[in-house]
Amino acid sequence: QVQLVESGGGLVQAGGSLRLSCAASGRTVSSYGMGWFRQAPGKEREFVAAISWRGGSTLYADSVKGRFTISRDNAKNTVYLQMNSLKPEDTAIYYCAAHTGRGIRVLLREFDYWGQGTQVTVSS
């Protein structure tokens, strides 16, 4: 079983930056694809970014492309989401997720493990 714990969320002004971390425990996720999703109040959970098992492939939602960067450190069993040029519409709970495949996945149902989420609030 894999446990995922997100951290790094908080309150930031528009234009600012945050770096989210997702630490895995229970077993190594070095051979798993990973992703970040977010859910704003009253909205469905949506895909943000994904990374393949070695980090060689990444994919981003159009809404964050050029502003967010997903990365991973398999030695630390951790995945990151660097968020720059934040906008009020980025306000949401951000979730880390893992799937047992090695490639890129974007659908919620394709992920096997989920964290509890971390709140990101961007003020205007």
Side-chain angles (χ1 to χ4, degrees):
Q1 194 74 357
V2 174
Q3 291 81 44
L4 302 173
V5 178
E6 303 93 338
S7 62
L11 174 64
V12 64
Q13 289 188 330
S17 298
L18 283 174
R19 188 195 195 202
L20 305 184
S21 298
C22 171
S25 62
R27 63 178 300 171
T28 180
V29 293
S30 60
S31 62
Y32 291 3
M34 303 291 293
W36 286 95
F37 292 77
R38 68 186 182 186
Q39 188 166 16
K43 295 188 176 181
E44 294 186 349
R45 194 171 300 188
E46 65 176 6
F47 169 77
V48 174
I51 189 166
S52 60
W53 69 300
R54 287 183 174 177
S57 296
T58 58
L59 185 68
Y60 299 92
D62 287 344
S63 59
V64 306
K65 199 173 297 182
R67 300 187 297 122
F68 291 11
T69 302
I70 188 172
S71 61
R72 65 189 301 161
D73 184 338
N74 285 341
K76 295 182 178 180
N77 227 20
T78 300
V79 177
Y80 305 97
L81 186 68
Q82 177 66 44
M83 306 186 296
N84 299 328
S85 302
L86 283 161
K87 305 175 181 180
E89 51 263 43
D90 294 319
T91 295
I93 299 174
Y94 283 71
Y95 298 91
C96 173
H99 64 84
T100 56
R102 294 188 172 187
I104 297 291
R105 301 287 187 271
V106 300
L107 300 178
L108 275 72
R109 64 174 183 266
E110 295 178 301
F111 286 78
D112 304 291
Y113 304 100
W114 291 85
Q116 293 299 307
T118 185
Q119 176 71 49
V120 171
T121 303
V122 184
S123 63
S124 58

